[in-house]
Amino acid sequence: MDKKEEEKVIKRINELYHLSQERELTPEELEERKKLRAAFLENFRAGFRQQLEDTVVIDKDGKEVTSEKAKEAQRRKGLRKD
């Protein structure tokens, strides 16, 4: 999901929230809200996972202490040569 699409999803989730404060949502609106929230969370988790996998951790002595799981993900992406 690109940034523009994410903004549209967030805007619609907020619209449905405000509607729910004024009246009860219809079954269609409840289903739409459920799908939008799921899509938003999926996109958020994917971005967060990407950020974590691309992070290199260095301790105070300058030694790399990145987890093996992150190193493997970085190797798969071609970000590491070791």
Coordinates of all heavy atoms in Angstrom, one line a residue:
M1 N 0.9 -1.2 0.0 CA 0.0 0.0 0.0 C 0.9 1.2 0.0 O 1.8 1.4 0.9 CB -0.9 -0.1 1.3 CG -1.8 1.1 1.5 SD -2.7 1.1 3.0 CE -3.5 -0.5 3.1
D2 N 0.7 2.1 -1.0 CA 1.5 3.3 -1.0 C 1.0 4.4 0.0 O -0.1 4.2 0.6 CB 1.6 3.9 -2.4 CG 0.3 4.4 -3.0 OD1 -0.7 4.6 -2.2 OD2 0.2 4.7 -4.2
K3 N 1.7 5.5 0.1 CA 1.4 6.5 1.1 C 0.0 7.1 0.9 O -0.7 7.3 1.8 CB 2.5 7.6 1.1 CG 2.5 8.5 2.3 CD 2.9 7.7 3.5 CE 3.1 8.7 4.7 NZ 3.3 8.0 5.9
K4 N -0.3 7.4 -0.4 CA -1.6 8.0 -0.7 C -2.8 7.1 -0.3 O -3.8 7.5 0.2 CB -1.7 8.3 -2.2 CG -1.8 9.8 -2.5 CD -1.9 10.0 -4.0 CE -1.9 11.5 -4.2 NZ -1.9 11.9 -5.5
E5 N -2.6 5.8 -0.7 CA -3.6 4.8 -0.4 C -3.8 4.6 1.2 O -4.9 4.5 1.7 CB -3.3 3.5 -1.0 CG -4.4 2.4 -0.9 CD -4.0 1.2 -1.7 OE1 -3.1 1.2 -2.5 OE2 -4.6 0.1 -1.3
E6 N -2.6 4.6 1.9 CA -2.7 4.5 3.3 C -3.4 5.7 3.9 O -4.2 5.5 4.9 CB -1.3 4.5 3.9 CG -1.3 4.3 5.4 CD 0.2 4.2 6.0 OE1 1.1 4.7 5.3 OE2 0.3 3.8 7.1
E7 N -3.2 6.9 3.4 CA -3.9 8.1 3.9 C -5.4 8.0 3.7 O -6.2 8.4 4.5 CB -3.4 9.3 3.2 CG -2.0 9.7 3.7 CD -1.4 10.9 2.9 OE1 -2.1 11.5 2.1 OE2 -0.2 11.2 3.2
K8 N -5.8 7.4 2.5 CA -7.2 7.2 2.2 C -7.9 6.3 3.2 O -9.0 6.5 3.7 CB -7.4 6.7 0.8 CG -7.2 7.8 -0.3 CD -7.5 7.2 -1.6 CE -7.2 8.2 -2.7 NZ -7.4 7.6 -4.1
V9 N -7.1 5.2 3.5 CA -7.6 4.2 4.4 C -7.8 4.8 5.8 O -8.9 4.6 6.4 CB -6.7 2.9 4.5 CG1 -7.0 2.0 5.6 CG2 -6.8 2.2 3.1
I10 N -6.8 5.5 6.3 CA -6.9 6.1 7.6 C -8.0 7.1 7.6 O -8.8 7.2 8.6 CB -5.6 6.8 7.9 CG1 -4.5 5.7 8.2 CG2 -5.7 7.7 9.2 CD1 -3.1 6.3 8.3
K11 N -8.2 7.9 6.6 CA -9.3 8.9 6.5 C -10.6 8.2 6.6 O -11.5 8.6 7.4 CB -9.2 9.7 5.2 CG -10.3 10.8 5.1 CD -10.1 11.6 3.9 CE -11.2 12.6 3.8 NZ -11.2 13.3 2.5
R12 N -10.8 7.1 5.9 CA -12.1 6.4 5.9 C -12.3 5.7 7.3 O -13.4 5.7 7.8 CB -12.1 5.3 4.8 CG -13.5 4.6 4.7 CD -14.6 5.6 4.5 NE -15.9 4.8 4.4 CZ -17.0 5.3 4.7 NH1 -17.2 6.5 5.1 NH2 -18.1 4.5 4.7
I13 N -11.3 5.2 7.9 CA -11.4 4.6 9.2 C -11.9 5.6 10.2 O -12.8 5.4 11.0 CB -10.1 3.9 9.7 CG1 -9.8 2.7 8.9 CG2 -10.2 3.6 11.2 CD1 -8.4 2.1 9.1
N14 N -11.3 6.8 10.1 CA -11.7 7.9 11.0 C -13.1 8.4 10.7 O -13.9 8.7 11.6 CB -10.7 9.1 10.8 CG -9.4 8.8 11.5 OD1 -9.3 8.0 12.5 ND2 -8.3 9.4 11.0
E15 N -13.5 8.4 9.4 CA -14.9 8.8 9.1 C -15.9 7.8 9.7 O -16.9 8.2 10.3 CB -15.1 8.8 7.6 CG -14.5 10.0 6.9 CD -14.5 9.8 5.4 OE1 -15.0 8.8 4.8 OE2 -14.0 10.8 4.7
L16 N -15.6 6.5 9.6 CA -16.4 5.5 10.2 C -16.5 5.6 11.7 O -17.5 5.3 12.3 CB -16.0 4.1 9.7 CG -16.2 3.8 8.3 CD1 -15.5 2.5 7.9 CD2 -17.7 3.7 8.0
Y17 N -15.3 5.9 12.3 CA -15.3 6.1 13.8 C -16.3 7.2 14.2 O -17.1 7.1 15.1 CB -13.9 6.4 14.3 CG -13.9 6.9 15.7 CD1 -14.1 6.0 16.7 CD2 -13.8 8.3 16.0 CE1 -14.1 6.5 18.0 CE2 -13.8 8.7 17.3 CZ -14.0 7.8 18.3 OH -14.0 8.3 19.6
H18 N -16.2 8.4 13.5 CA -17.0 9.5 13.8 C -18.5 9.2 13.6 O -19.3 9.6 14.4 CB -16.6 10.8 13.1 CG -15.2 11.3 13.5 ND1 -15.0 11.8 14.8 CD2 -14.0 11.3 12.9 CE1 -13.8 12.2 14.9 NE2 -13.1 11.9 13.8
L19 N -18.8 8.5 12.5 CA -20.1 8.0 12.3 C -20.6 7.1 13.4 O -21.8 7.3 13.9 CB -20.2 7.2 11.0 CG -20.6 7.9 9.7 CD1 -20.6 6.9 8.5 CD2 -21.9 8.6 9.8
S20 N -19.8 6.3 13.9 CA -20.2 5.4 15.0 C -20.5 6.1 16.3 O -21.2 5.6 17.1 CB -19.1 4.3 15.2 OG -18.0 4.8 15.9
Q21 N -19.9 7.3 16.4 CA -20.2 8.1 17.6 C -21.5 8.8 17.5 O -22.1 9.2 18.5 CB -19.1 9.2 17.8 CG -17.7 8.6 18.0 CD -17.7 7.7 19.3 OE1 -18.0 8.2 20.4 NE2 -17.3 6.5 19.1
E22 N -22.0 9.0 16.3 CA -23.3 9.7 16.0 C -24.4 8.7 16.0 O -25.5 9.0 16.4 CB -23.2 10.4 14.7 CG -22.2 11.5 14.7 CD -22.0 12.1 13.3 OE1 -22.8 11.8 12.4 OE2 -21.1 12.9 13.1
R23 N -24.2 7.5 15.4 CA -25.2 6.5 15.2 C -24.6 5.1 15.2 O -23.4 5.0 15.0 CB -26.0 6.8 14.0 CG -25.2 6.7 12.7 CD -26.1 6.7 11.5 NE -25.3 6.8 10.2 CZ -24.7 5.8 9.6 NH1 -24.8 4.6 10.1 NH2 -24.1 5.9 8.5
E24 N -25.4 4.1 15.2 CA -24.9 2.7 15.0 C -24.6 2.5 13.6 O -25.3 2.9 12.7 CB -26.0 1.8 15.5 CG -25.5 0.4 15.7 CD -26.5 -0.5 16.5 OE1 -27.1 0.0 17.4 OE2 -26.6 -1.7 16.0
L25 N -23.4 1.9 13.3 CA -23.0 1.6 12.0 C -23.9 0.4 11.4 O -24.3 -0.5 12.1 CB -21.5 1.2 11.9 CG -20.5 2.3 12.3 CD1 -19.1 1.7 12.3 CD2 -20.6 3.5 11.4
T26 N -24.1 0.5 10.1 CA -24.8 -0.6 9.4 C -23.9 -1.8 9.3 O -22.6 -1.7 9.5 CB -25.2 -0.2 8.0 OG1 -24.0 0.0 7.2 CG2 -26.0 1.1 8.0
P27 N -24.4 -3.0 9.1 CA -23.6 -4.2 8.9 C -22.5 -4.0 7.8 O -21.4 -4.5 7.9 CB -24.6 -5.3 8.6 CG -25.9 -4.8 9.2 CD -25.9 -3.3 9.1
E28 N -22.9 -3.3 6.7 CA -21.9 -3.1 5.6 C -20.8 -2.2 6.1 O -19.6 -2.4 5.8 CB -22.7 -2.4 4.4 CG -23.6 -3.3 3.7 CD -25.0 -3.3 4.4 OE1 -25.3 -2.5 5.3 OE2 -25.8 -4.3 4.1
E29 N -21.1 -1.1 6.9 CA -20.1 -0.2 7.4 C -19.2 -0.9 8.4 O -18.0 -0.7 8.4 CB -20.7 1.0 8.0 CG -21.4 1.9 7.0 CD -22.3 3.0 7.7 OE1 -22.8 2.7 8.8 OE2 -22.4 4.1 7.1
L30 N -19.8 -1.8 9.2 CA -19.0 -2.6 10.2 C -18.0 -3.5 9.4 O -16.8 -3.6 9.8 CB -19.9 -3.4 11.1 CG -20.7 -2.6 12.1 CD1 -21.7 -3.5 12.8 CD2 -19.7 -2.0 13.1
E31 N -18.5 -4.1 8.4 CA -17.6 -5.0 7.6 C -16.5 -4.2 6.9 O -15.3 -4.6 6.8 CB -18.4 -5.8 6.5 CG -17.7 -6.8 5.7 CD -17.1 -7.9 6.6 OE1 -17.7 -8.2 7.6 OE2 -16.0 -8.4 6.2
E32 N -16.9 -3.0 6.3 CA -15.9 -2.2 5.7 C -14.8 -1.7 6.7 O -13.6 -1.8 6.4 CB -16.6 -0.9 5.1 CG -15.6 0.0 4.4 CD -16.2 1.3 4.0 OE1 -17.4 1.6 4.3 OE2 -15.5 2.1 3.3
R33 N -15.2 -1.3 7.9 CA -14.3 -0.9 8.9 C -13.4 -2.1 9.3 O -12.1 -1.9 9.4 CB -15.1 -0.4 10.2 CG -14.2 0.1 11.3 CD -14.9 0.6 12.5 NE -15.6 -0.5 13.1 CZ -16.3 -0.4 14.3 NH1 -16.5 0.8 14.8 NH2 -16.8 -1.4 14.8
K34 N -13.9 -3.3 9.4 CA -13.1 -4.4 9.7 C -12.0 -4.7 8.7 O -10.9 -4.9 9.0 CB -14.0 -5.7 9.9 CG -13.3 -6.9 10.3 CD -14.3 -8.1 10.4 CE -13.7 -9.4 10.6 NZ -14.7 -10.5 10.7
K35 N -12.4 -4.6 7.4 CA -11.5 -4.8 6.3 C -10.4 -3.7 6.2 O -9.2 -4.0 6.0 CB -12.2 -4.9 5.0 CG -13.0 -6.2 4.8 CD -13.7 -6.3 3.5 CE -14.5 -7.5 3.4 NZ -15.3 -7.6 2.1
L36 N -10.8 -2.5 6.4 CA -9.9 -1.4 6.4 C -8.9 -1.5 7.5 O -7.7 -1.3 7.3 CB -10.6 0.0 6.5 CG -11.4 0.4 5.3 CD1 -12.3 1.6 5.6 CD2 -10.5 0.6 4.1
R37 N -9.3 -1.8 8.7 CA -8.4 -2.0 9.8 C -7.4 -3.1 9.6 O -6.2 -3.0 9.9 CB -9.2 -2.2 11.1 CG -9.9 -1.0 11.7 CD -10.7 -1.4 12.9 NE -11.2 -0.2 13.6 CZ -12.0 -0.3 14.6 NH1 -12.4 -1.4 15.2 NH2 -12.5 0.8 15.2
A38 N -7.9 -4.2 9.0 CA -7.0 -5.3 8.8 C -6.0 -5.0 7.7 O -4.8 -5.3 7.9 CB -7.9 -6.5 8.3
A39 N -6.4 -4.2 6.7 CA -5.5 -3.8 5.6 C -4.4 -2.8 6.2 O -3.2 -2.9 5.9 CB -6.2 -3.1 4.5
F40 N -4.9 -1.9 7.1 CA -4.0 -1.0 7.7 C -2.9 -1.7 8.6 O -1.7 -1.4 8.5 CB -4.7 0.1 8.5 CG -3.8 1.0 9.3 CD1 -3.2 2.1 8.6 CD2 -3.5 0.8 10.6 CE1 -2.3 2.9 9.3 CE2 -2.7 1.6 11.3 CZ -2.1 2.7 10.7
L41 N -3.4 -2.6 9.4 CA -2.5 -3.3 10.3 C -1.5 -4.2 9.5 O -0.3 -4.3 9.8 CB -3.3 -4.2 11.2 CG -3.9 -3.5 12.4 CD1 -4.8 -4.4 13.2 CD2 -2.8 -2.8 13.3
E42 N -2.0 -4.8 8.4 CA -1.1 -5.6 7.6 C 0.0 -4.8 7.0 O 1.2 -5.1 7.0 CB -1.9 -6.3 6.5 CG -1.1 -7.2 5.6 CD -1.9 -7.8 4.5 OE1 -3.1 -8.0 4.7 OE2 -1.3 -8.1 3.4
N43 N -0.3 -3.6 6.5 CA 0.6 -2.7 5.9 C 1.6 -2.2 7.0 O 2.8 -2.1 6.8 CB -0.1 -1.5 5.3 CG 0.8 -0.6 4.5 OD1 1.6 -1.1 3.6 ND2 0.8 0.7 4.9
F44 N 1.1 -1.8 8.2 CA 1.9 -1.3 9.3 C 2.9 -2.4 9.7 O 4.1 -2.1 9.8 CB 1.0 -0.9 10.5 CG 1.9 -0.6 11.7 CD1 2.4 0.7 11.8 CD2 2.1 -1.5 12.7 CE1 3.1 1.1 12.9 CE2 2.9 -1.1 13.8 CZ 3.4 0.2 13.9
R45 N 2.4 -3.6 9.8 CA 3.3 -4.7 10.3 C 4.4 -5.0 9.2 O 5.6 -5.2 9.6 CB 2.5 -6.0 10.5 CG 1.7 -5.9 11.8 CD 0.9 -7.1 12.0 NE 0.1 -7.0 13.2 CZ -1.2 -7.3 13.4 NH1 -1.8 -7.8 12.3 NH2 -1.8 -7.1 14.5
A46 N 4.1 -4.9 8.0 CA 5.0 -5.2 6.9 C 6.1 -4.1 6.9 O 7.3 -4.4 6.8 CB 4.3 -5.2 5.5
G47 N 5.7 -2.9 7.1 CA 6.7 -1.8 7.1 C 7.6 -1.9 8.4 O 8.8 -1.6 8.3
F48 N 7.0 -2.2 9.5 CA 7.8 -2.4 10.7 C 8.7 -3.5 10.6 O 9.9 -3.4 11.0 CB 6.8 -2.6 11.9 CG 7.5 -2.5 13.2 CD1 7.9 -1.3 13.7 CD2 7.6 -3.6 14.0 CE1 8.5 -1.2 15.0 CE2 8.2 -3.5 15.3 CZ 8.7 -2.3 15.7
R49 N 8.3 -4.6 10.1 CA 9.2 -5.8 9.9 C 10.3 -5.4 9.0 O 11.5 -5.8 9.2 CB 8.4 -7.0 9.3 CG 9.2 -8.2 9.1 CD 8.3 -9.4 8.6 NE 7.1 -9.6 9.4 CZ 5.9 -9.4 8.9 NH1 5.6 -8.9 7.7 NH2 4.8 -9.6 9.7
Q50 N 10.0 -4.7 7.9 CA 11.1 -4.2 7.0 C 12.1 -3.4 7.7 O 13.3 -3.6 7.5 CB 10.4 -3.4 5.8 CG 11.4 -2.8 4.9 CD 12.0 -3.9 3.9 OE1 11.3 -4.8 3.5 NE2 13.2 -3.7 3.6
Q51 N 11.6 -2.5 8.5 CA 12.5 -1.6 9.3 C 13.4 -2.4 10.2 O 14.6 -2.2 10.3 CB 11.7 -0.6 10.0 CG 12.6 0.5 10.7 CD 11.7 1.5 11.4 OE1 10.5 1.5 11.3 NE2 12.4 2.5 12.0
L52 N 12.8 -3.4 10.9 CA 13.6 -4.2 11.8 C 14.6 -5.0 11.1 O 15.8 -5.2 11.6 CB 12.7 -5.1 12.7 CG 11.9 -4.4 13.8 CD1 10.9 -5.4 14.4 CD2 12.8 -3.8 14.8
E53 N 14.2 -5.6 10.0 CA 15.1 -6.5 9.2 C 16.3 -5.7 8.6 O 17.4 -6.3 8.4 CB 14.4 -7.2 8.1 CG 13.4 -8.3 8.7 CD 12.6 -8.9 7.6 OE1 12.6 -8.5 6.4 OE2 11.9 -10.0 7.9
D54 N 16.1 -4.4 8.4 CA 17.2 -3.6 7.8 C 18.1 -3.0 8.8 O 19.1 -2.3 8.5 CB 16.6 -2.6 6.9 CG 16.0 -3.2 5.6 OD1 16.2 -4.4 5.4 OD2 15.2 -2.4 4.9
T55 N 17.8 -3.1 10.1 CA 18.5 -2.5 11.2 C 19.8 -3.3 11.5 O 19.7 -4.5 11.7 CB 17.6 -2.3 12.4 OG1 16.5 -1.6 12.1 CG2 18.4 -1.7 13.6
V56 N 20.9 -2.6 11.7 CA 22.1 -3.2 12.1 C 22.4 -2.6 13.5 O 22.4 -1.4 13.7 CB 23.3 -2.8 11.1 CG1 24.6 -3.3 11.7 CG2 23.0 -3.4 9.8
V57 N 22.6 -3.5 14.5 CA 22.9 -3.0 15.8 C 24.3 -3.1 16.2 O 25.0 -4.1 16.0 CB 22.1 -3.9 16.8 CG1 22.2 -3.5 18.2 CG2 20.6 -4.0 16.4
I58 N 24.9 -2.0 16.7 CA 26.3 -1.9 17.1 C 26.3 -1.6 18.6 O 25.6 -0.7 19.0 CB 27.0 -0.7 16.3 CG1 26.7 -0.9 14.8 CG2 28.4 -0.6 16.7 CD1 27.4 -2.0 14.1
D59 N 27.1 -2.3 19.3 CA 27.3 -2.1 20.8 C 28.2 -0.9 21.0 O 28.8 -0.3 20.1 CB 27.7 -3.3 21.5 CG 29.1 -3.8 21.3 OD1 29.8 -3.1 20.6 OD2 29.5 -4.9 21.7
K60 N 28.4 -0.6 22.3 CA 29.2 0.6 22.6 C 30.7 0.5 22.3 O 31.4 1.5 22.2 CB 29.0 0.9 24.1 CG 29.6 -0.1 25.0 CD 29.3 0.3 26.5 CE 29.8 -0.9 27.4 NZ 29.7 -0.6 28.8
D61 N 31.1 -0.7 22.1 CA 32.5 -1.0 21.7 C 32.7 -1.0 20.2 O 33.8 -1.2 19.7 CB 33.0 -2.3 22.3 CG 33.0 -2.3 23.8 OD1 33.2 -1.3 24.4 OD2 32.6 -3.4 24.4
G62 N 31.6 -0.8 19.4 CA 31.7 -0.7 18.0 C 31.5 -2.1 17.3 O 31.7 -2.2 16.1
K63 N 31.2 -3.1 18.1 CA 31.0 -4.5 17.6 C 29.6 -4.7 17.1 O 28.6 -4.3 17.8 CB 31.4 -5.5 18.6 CG 31.3 -6.9 18.2 CD 31.6 -7.9 19.3 CE 31.4 -9.3 18.9 NZ 31.5 -10.2 20.0
E64 N 29.4 -5.3 16.0 CA 28.0 -5.6 15.5 C 27.4 -6.7 16.3 O 28.0 -7.7 16.5 CB 28.0 -5.9 14.0 CG 26.6 -6.2 13.5 CD 26.5 -6.6 12.1 OE1 27.6 -6.7 11.4 OE2 25.4 -6.8 11.6
V65 N 26.2 -6.4 16.8 CA 25.5 -7.4 17.6 C 24.1 -7.7 17.0 O 23.2 -8.1 17.8 CB 25.4 -7.0 19.1 CG1 26.8 -7.1 19.7 CG2 24.8 -5.7 19.2
T66 N 23.9 -7.5 15.7 CA 22.7 -7.8 15.1 C 22.3 -9.2 15.2 O 23.1 -10.1 15.1 CB 22.8 -7.4 13.6 OG1 23.3 -6.1 13.4 CG2 21.5 -7.5 12.8
S67 N 21.0 -9.5 15.4 CA 20.5 -10.9 15.6 C 20.7 -11.7 14.4 O 20.7 -11.1 13.3 CB 19.1 -10.9 16.0 OG 18.2 -10.6 14.9
E68 N 20.9 -13.0 14.5 CA 21.1 -13.9 13.4 C 19.8 -13.8 12.5 O 20.0 -13.9 11.2 CB 21.3 -15.3 13.8 CG 22.8 -15.6 14.2 CD 23.8 -15.2 13.0 OE1 23.5 -15.6 11.9 OE2 24.8 -14.5 13.3
K69 N 18.7 -13.7 13.1 CA 17.4 -13.7 12.3 C 17.4 -12.5 11.3 O 17.1 -12.6 10.1 CB 16.2 -13.7 13.2 CG 14.9 -13.8 12.5 CD 13.8 -13.9 13.5 CE 12.4 -14.1 12.8 NZ 11.3 -14.2 13.7
A70 N 17.9 -11.3 11.9 CA 17.9 -10.1 11.0 C 19.0 -10.2 10.0 O 18.8 -9.8 8.8 CB 18.2 -8.9 11.9
K71 N 20.2 -10.8 10.4 CA 21.2 -11.0 9.4 C 20.8 -11.9 8.2 O 21.1 -11.6 7.1 CB 22.5 -11.7 10.1 CG 23.2 -10.7 11.0 CD 24.4 -11.5 11.6 CE 25.2 -10.6 12.6 NZ 26.3 -11.3 13.2
E72 N 20.1 -13.0 8.5 CA 19.6 -13.9 7.5 C 18.6 -13.1 6.5 O 18.7 -13.3 5.3 CB 18.8 -15.1 8.1 CG 19.8 -16.1 8.6 CD 20.7 -16.7 7.6 OE1 20.3 -16.9 6.4 OE2 21.9 -16.8 7.9
A73 N 17.7 -12.3 7.1 CA 16.8 -11.5 6.3 C 17.6 -10.5 5.4 O 17.3 -10.4 4.2 CB 15.8 -10.7 7.2
Q74 N 18.6 -9.9 5.9 CA 19.4 -9.0 5.2 C 20.2 -9.7 4.1 O 20.4 -9.2 3.0 CB 20.4 -8.3 6.1 CG 19.7 -7.3 7.1 CD 20.6 -6.9 8.2 OE1 21.7 -7.3 8.4 NE2 20.0 -6.0 9.1
R75 N 20.7 -10.9 4.3 CA 21.3 -11.7 3.3 C 20.4 -12.1 2.2 O 20.8 -12.0 1.0 CB 21.9 -13.0 3.9 CG 23.1 -12.8 4.7 CD 23.7 -14.1 5.3 NE 24.7 -13.8 6.3 CZ 24.6 -14.1 7.6 NH1 23.5 -14.7 8.0 NH2 25.5 -13.7 8.4
R76 N 19.2 -12.5 2.5 CA 18.2 -12.8 1.5 C 17.9 -11.6 0.6 O 17.6 -11.8 -0.6 CB 16.9 -13.3 2.1 CG 16.9 -14.7 2.6 CD 15.5 -15.2 3.0 NE 14.7 -14.3 3.8 CZ 14.8 -14.3 5.2 NH1 15.5 -15.2 5.8 NH2 14.1 -13.5 5.9
K77 N 18.0 -10.4 1.1 CA 17.7 -9.2 0.4 C 18.9 -8.7 -0.3 O 18.9 -7.7 -1.1 CB 17.2 -8.1 1.3 CG 15.8 -8.4 1.9 CD 15.4 -7.3 2.9 CE 14.1 -7.7 3.6 NZ 13.8 -6.7 4.5
G78 N 20.1 -9.3 -0.1 CA 21.3 -8.9 -0.7 C 21.9 -7.7 -0.1 O 22.7 -7.0 -0.7
L79 N 21.6 -7.4 1.2 CA 22.1 -6.3 1.9 C 23.4 -6.7 2.7 O 24.1 -5.8 3.2 CB 21.1 -5.8 2.9 CG 19.8 -5.3 2.3 CD1 18.8 -5.0 3.4 CD2 20.0 -4.1 1.4
R80 N 23.7 -8.0 2.8 CA 24.9 -8.4 3.5 C 25.7 -9.3 2.6 O 25.1 -10.1 1.8 CB 24.5 -9.2 4.7 CG 23.9 -8.5 5.8 CD 23.7 -9.3 7.0 NE 24.9 -9.4 7.8 CZ 25.3 -8.6 8.8 NH1 24.5 -7.7 9.1 NH2 26.4 -8.8 9.4
K81 N 27.0 -9.3 2.7 CA 27.8 -10.2 1.9 C 28.5 -11.2 2.8 O 29.2 -12.1 2.3 CB 28.9 -9.4 1.2 CG 28.2 -8.4 0.2 CD 29.2 -7.7 -0.6 CE 28.4 -6.7 -1.4 NZ 28.8 -6.5 -2.7
D82 N 28.3 -11.2 4.1 CA 28.9 -12.2 5.0 C 28.1 -13.4 5.1 O 27.0 -13.5 4.8 CB 29.3 -11.6 6.3 CG 28.0 -11.1 7.1 OD1 26.9 -11.0 6.5 OD2 28.2 -10.8 8.3

